[in-house]
Amino acid sequence: MIWLFTVILIIAAAGGYLLYSFIYGPNVDLHGQKTDFLYIPTGSNFDDVSSIINKNNFIKNKTSFEWVAKRKNYLKKVLPGRYLINNGMSNDEFINLLRSGKQEPLNLTFTNIRTKKQLASIVGSKLEADSIELLQLLNDTAFAKKMGFNKETIMCLFIPNTYQFFWTTNDSAFIKRMAREYKNFWNEERRAKAKQIGMTTEDVTILASIVQEETNMTADKPIVAGVYINRLNKNMTLDADPTLKFAIGDFTIQRLLNEDKLLESPYNTYKYAGLPPGPINLPAIETIDAVLNYTNHDYLFFCAREDFSGYSNFAATYEQHLVNARKYQAELNRRNIKR
């Protein structure tokens, strides 16, 4: 009888250990990595989650994971998200995390964006938002009007920066968040400055987008902005190369030709006076503020310096501008830059 009792104890102990290891033993294996991310799309069920985990080879024992998941009622509580998982997590820890819905936020940064398609692509690559649906929204006249813009100015809504999002953010939620950020950015002080210079917030963004393409030099930005504001105030055409490059669809062009200036486009500021219909990029905060705080001067012209330093030569008269322009053109010729 003693031997039988001993056998029963051994079996019970083995069963208890197996049960304990099923629940509390390490089961998440990240193959040398300390952490990784598990992405569970919106609308997923338990079979989907199990398939994703197996595809990524995140666990050692599928049977124990599913056994614990059933007993913790996770099958009916699947929540989408981007979850930070740790190597060596037990099934208990892993499933508790997934049941909690405690996502790990991510940083979304967008800068140097020129088109709606570029923006939609970047957002779609980082968030669950669908890039095609986002692009459709940005091109929807009724939606733009609802947001207080039109199809051309809707891009003014997006202020380049780094923002924290949950991965499950969809296209509609993304735009709503950007609308809040836009409202916060355009505070009373900035709106007052825009009004003082006779511009709407959209006008400021459009002009800033041109300044952004004209120079990367912080010191030059408010001066360039001042040139364009002087030209606007005198009802002169802006003659801005970047708007013409935008109309052509090629920002790599280094040398515009006279025939380019005949292009029929509302973005051709050699042909049409005033600001173009919308921004030609998403200007940085620094550039928007450079327009709001532009330098008051008499310059009406500028062109890139012939030393290719990135700075500009400014002129109050067309005669002086021609001198500056010829220096730059001579350097283009010397470097054999035709286009």
Side-chain angles (χ1 to χ4, degrees):
M1 292 297 293
I2 294 176
W3 67 268
L4 181 59
F5 182 69
T6 301
V7 170
I8 292 172
L9 283 177
I10 292 172
I11 293 172
Y17 175 77
L18 181 62
L19 180 62
Y20 181 89
S21 64
F22 260 39
I23 301 172
Y24 301 110
N27 197 34
V28 172
D29 185 0
L30 302 182
H31 311 284
Q33 296 187 112
K34 291 184 178 180
T35 61
D36 207 335
F37 290 100
L38 170 64
Y39 293 83
I40 301 177
T42 298
S44 296
N45 57 31
F46 179 72
D47 288 339
D48 296 324
V49 174
S50 184
S51 176
I52 294 167
I53 289 172
N54 290 329
K55 183 179 179 181
N56 288 280
N57 201 21
F58 279 152
I59 56 175
K60 294 183 284 188
N61 190 318
K62 177 183 176 182
T63 301
S64 67
F65 172 78
E66 294 180 349
W67 187 86
V68 175
K70 289 177 183 177
R71 275 138 192 87
K72 294 183 78 70
N73 202 30
Y74 175 58
L75 278 65
K76 297 179 180 179
K77 295 186 177 182
V78 173
L79 297 172
R82 172 181 181 262
Y83 297 94
L84 177 64
I85 57 178
N86 299 306
N87 188 54
M89 290 178 85
S90 67
N91 287 324
D92 185 64
E93 292 172 313
F94 191 15
I95 294 165
N96 283 346
L97 171 64
L98 301 183
R99 274 169 48 100
S100 73
K102 185 181 178 182
Q103 294 192 56
E104 190 71 17
L106 56 80
N107 288 329
L108 171 63
T109 301
F110 54 87
T111 57
N112 301 319
I113 301 295
R114 291 193 176 111
T115 66
K116 295 175 182 178
K117 187 175 181 180
Q118 272 185 302
L119 177 64
S121 178
I122 287 174
V123 173
S125 70
K126 295 285 286 186
L127 305 179
E128 200 177 20
D130 185 275
S131 59
I132 295 175
E133 291 180 6
L134 177 56
L135 187 58
Q136 288 173 342
L137 275 180
L138 296 178
N139 284 318
D140 187 286
T141 301
F143 178 78
K145 185 176 180 181
K146 180 182 175 182
M147 298 301 296
F149 301 93
N150 59 44
K151 278 177 63 176
E152 300 295 337
T153 60
I154 185 67
M155 288 292 277
C156 295
L157 177 66
F158 306 100
I159 309 296
N161 212 331
T162 296
Y163 302 96
Q164 200 168 72
F165 282 94
F166 287 122
W167 174 72
T168 48
T169 302
N170 60 27
D171 48 281
S172 179
F174 168 73
I175 290 180
K176 286 179 181 178
R177 166 71 183 283
M178 290 296 95
R180 293 197 301 272
E181 296 292 343
Y182 177 86
K183 185 177 180 180
N184 291 335
F185 175 79
W186 284 106
N187 53 30
E188 288 186 14
E189 181 183 358
R190 284 194 174 98
R191 287 181 180 275
K193 286 183 177 180
K195 186 176 181 180
Q196 188 176 3
I197 61 178
M199 288 187 167
T200 65
T201 58
E202 291 90 342
D203 290 340
V204 173
T205 300
I206 292 170
L207 181 52
S209 73
I210 299 173
V211 174
Q212 176 107 345
E213 289 292 339
E214 291 286 16
T215 180
N216 292 320
M217 302 304 172
T218 300
D220 272 8
K221 286 183 178 183
I223 308 174
V224 171
V227 170
Y228 283 128
I229 288 174
N230 286 345
R231 294 181 74 90
L232 288 170
N233 290 338
K234 289 180 178 292
N235 295 317
M236 299 171 66
T237 53
L238 295 184
D239 294 358
D241 288 359
T243 64
L244 189 49
K245 292 177 184 179
F246 180 84
I248 294 171
D250 186 356
F251 278 94
T252 65
I253 296 172
Q254 291 184 274
R255 191 171 195 169
L256 286 166
L257 307 176
N258 286 330
E259 62 194 59
D260 295 325
K261 298 173 184 179
L262 301 176
L263 179 71
E264 179 54 46
S265 169
Y267 285 88
N268 183 354
T269 55
Y270 281 92
K271 194 168 188 177
Y272 295 101
L275 292 167
I280 59 173
N281 58 51
L282 299 186
I285 291 172
E286 173 192 72
T287 314
I288 294 174
D289 284 338
V291 172
L292 292 173
N293 300 283
Y294 74 92
T295 303
N296 194 354
H297 52 61
D298 296 326
Y299 299 137
L300 290 171
F301 308 93
F302 70 95
C303 72
R305 285 188 190 174
E306 65 278 8
D307 61 3
F308 277 63
S309 63
Y311 288 97
S312 299
N313 286 320
F314 297 90
T317 65
Y318 184 62
E319 290 72 23
Q320 183 57 52
H321 174 62
L322 283 179
V323 172
N324 295 335
R326 283 166 183 156
K327 289 179 184 178
Y328 182 65
Q329 290 163 4
E331 184 60 22
L332 287 175
N333 292 334
R334 193 186 70 81
R335 298 183 184 214
N336 198 32
I337 296 175
K338 305 292 185 184
R339 189 66 169 151

